[in-house]
Amino acid sequence: MPHTTRLLFFAGSAREGSLNKRLARLAHDVAEANGIAATLADLGDYPMPIYDGDLEEREGQPDNAKKLKSLMSVHDGIFIACPEYNASITPLLKNTLDWVGRVKDQGEAPLAVYKTRVFALGSASPGAIGGLRGLIAVRQTLELGLGALVLPDQIAVPRATEAFDDDGHLKDKMLMEILKTVVQKLARAAHVMRGEEGA
Ligand SMILES: Cc1cc2nc3c(=O)[nH]c(=O)nc-3n(C[C@H](O)[C@H](O)[C@H](O)COP(=O)(O)O)c2cc1C
C-alpha cells in the first residue's frame, strides 16, 4: 500500500492566545483543505525541564521528548511557527529541539529524526517584520545544528494581532497565498524525501 505523506504542525509558543499557534493551526487547515494528511500539536502538551547534562545522566531524556520524537517520526514533513524573542528562537523551541535531538533509539543514527524529514518555517509577530529575524536562528539550529533540510520558502506575518480574521484566515490575500505555497512545497518535498528514503 502506498505511504501517505503526513505533515506535522506546531508552534514555538505554548501561550494560550499565541499568534504562532494561530499560524500553525491555519497552515494545518490549509494542508487538510488540500487533501494532505496533517496533525496539529501543541508544545504545551510536552513540557520538559531546561536541558541539563547532569539531569540527563541521572534520569535520561524526559518522556515528553521521547513522545514528541515518536510523533515527529510518523510524519514526513514538519511546519514550525516560531515567535521571535530578542531577534532569536524562543527558549521553549530551542529546549524542545535540543532534548528531542538527544533521544536515540536503538540502532538509530544520531539526529535521525531531523535528518530524515523536511521542515518549513513560519513566524508571526505584532511587529512590522513578522518575526523574520528569529527564523534565522531557528533555521541555524535545524540546519547547522541538527542536520535537517529546511525549505527556503517561509512565511512571516507582521502586525499579527490584526492579521487574522474571525475564521482564522489571514486577511492579506498575498500572505494567504504564500502560506499555501509553503504548505504545498513542504508536502511535495516530504513526499520526494520519503520516496528517496525508501529507494
Ligand atoms: C522575551 C521577549 C522578546 C521578544 N522579542 C521580540 C522580537 O525580537 N521581535 C518581535 O517582533 N517580537 C518580539 N517579542 C514579542 C513577540 O513577538 C510577541 O509577544 C508574540 O505575540 C509572541 O508570540 P506568540 O503570540 O506566538 O506567543 C518578544 C516577546 C518576548 C516575551
Side-chain angles (χ1 to χ4, degrees), residues 103-140:
V103 180
K104 191 171 160 303
D105 291 317
Q106 213 169 5
E108 194 180 59
L111 304 176
V113 75
Y114 292 109
K115 292 182 177 177
T116 54
R117 42 205 33 79
V118 58
F119 290 76
L121 305 180
S123 63
S125 160
I129 52 171
L132 197 60
R133 297 172 306 172
L135 292 188
I136 298 168
V138 181
R139 190 174 285 282
Q140 174 174 319

Side-chain angles (χ1 to χ4, degrees), residues 76-115:
D76 312 298
I78 300 177
F79 176 88
I80 305 175
C82 188
E84 176 178 290
Y85 276 10
N86 297 321
S88 192
I89 190 171
T90 59
L92 172 67
L93 181 60
K94 181 66 165 58
N95 191 52
T96 300
L97 296 176
D98 287 347
W99 268 125
V100 168
R102 302 291 298 172
V103 180
K104 191 171 160 303
D105 291 317
Q106 213 169 5
E108 194 180 59
L111 304 176
V113 75
Y114 292 109
K115 292 182 177 177

Side-chain angles (χ1 to χ4, degrees), residues 172-187:
D172 184 324
K173 288 198 169 46
M174 206 148 78
L175 274 180
M176 202 63 214
E177 285 310 308
I178 291 172
L179 182 62
K180 281 182 196 164
T181 302
V182 170
V183 170
Q184 283 167 348
K185 284 197 177 178
L186 178 62

Side-chain angles (χ1 to χ4, degrees), residues 1-177:
M1 209 167 69
H3 172 87
T4 307
T5 299
R6 298 182 61 86
L7 300 185
L8 176 66
F9 298 80
F10 62 84
S13 169
R15 204 169 69 82
E16 202 179 314
S18 164
L19 298 165
N20 286 276
K21 277 194 197 175
R22 276 201 232 176
L23 182 58
R25 188 176 307 117
L26 178 58
H28 164 273
D29 293 352
V30 165
E32 284 202 328
N34 282 275
I36 299 160
T39 307
L40 183 62
D42 186 336
L43 291 190
D45 294 332
Y46 300 86
M48 298 170 206
I50 291 286
Y51 180 82
D52 174 334
D54 291 341
L55 173 72
E56 184 182 34
E57 208 164 296
R58 270 198 321 272
E59 299 176 18
Q61 297 90 30
D63 283 348
N64 279 335
K66 294 175 186 165
K67 278 186 202 157
L68 185 60
K69 186 200 165 211
S70 298
L71 183 70
M72 290 165 69
S73 301
V74 295
H75 292 82
D76 312 298
I78 300 177
F79 176 88
I80 305 175
C82 188
E84 176 178 290
Y85 276 10
N86 297 321
S88 192
I89 190 171
T90 59
L92 172 67
L93 181 60
K94 181 66 165 58
N95 191 52
T96 300
L97 296 176
D98 287 347
W99 268 125
V100 168
R102 302 291 298 172
V103 180
K104 191 171 160 303
D105 291 317
Q106 213 169 5
E108 194 180 59
L111 304 176
V113 75
Y114 292 109
K115 292 182 177 177
T116 54
R117 42 205 33 79
V118 58
F119 290 76
L121 305 180
S123 63
S125 160
I129 52 171
L132 197 60
R133 297 172 306 172
L135 292 188
I136 298 168
V138 181
R139 190 174 285 282
Q140 174 174 319
T141 301
L142 283 166
E143 285 184 352
L144 299 183
L146 299 165
L149 173 66
V150 185
L151 292 187
D153 302 80
Q154 60 184 25
I155 179 167
V157 180
R159 297 179 191 85
T161 40
E162 279 110 52
F164 296 90
D165 66 20
D166 293 342
D167 296 325
H169 295 115
L170 290 163
K171 293 179 195 163
D172 184 324
K173 288 198 169 46
M174 206 148 78
L175 274 180
M176 202 63 214
E177 285 310 308

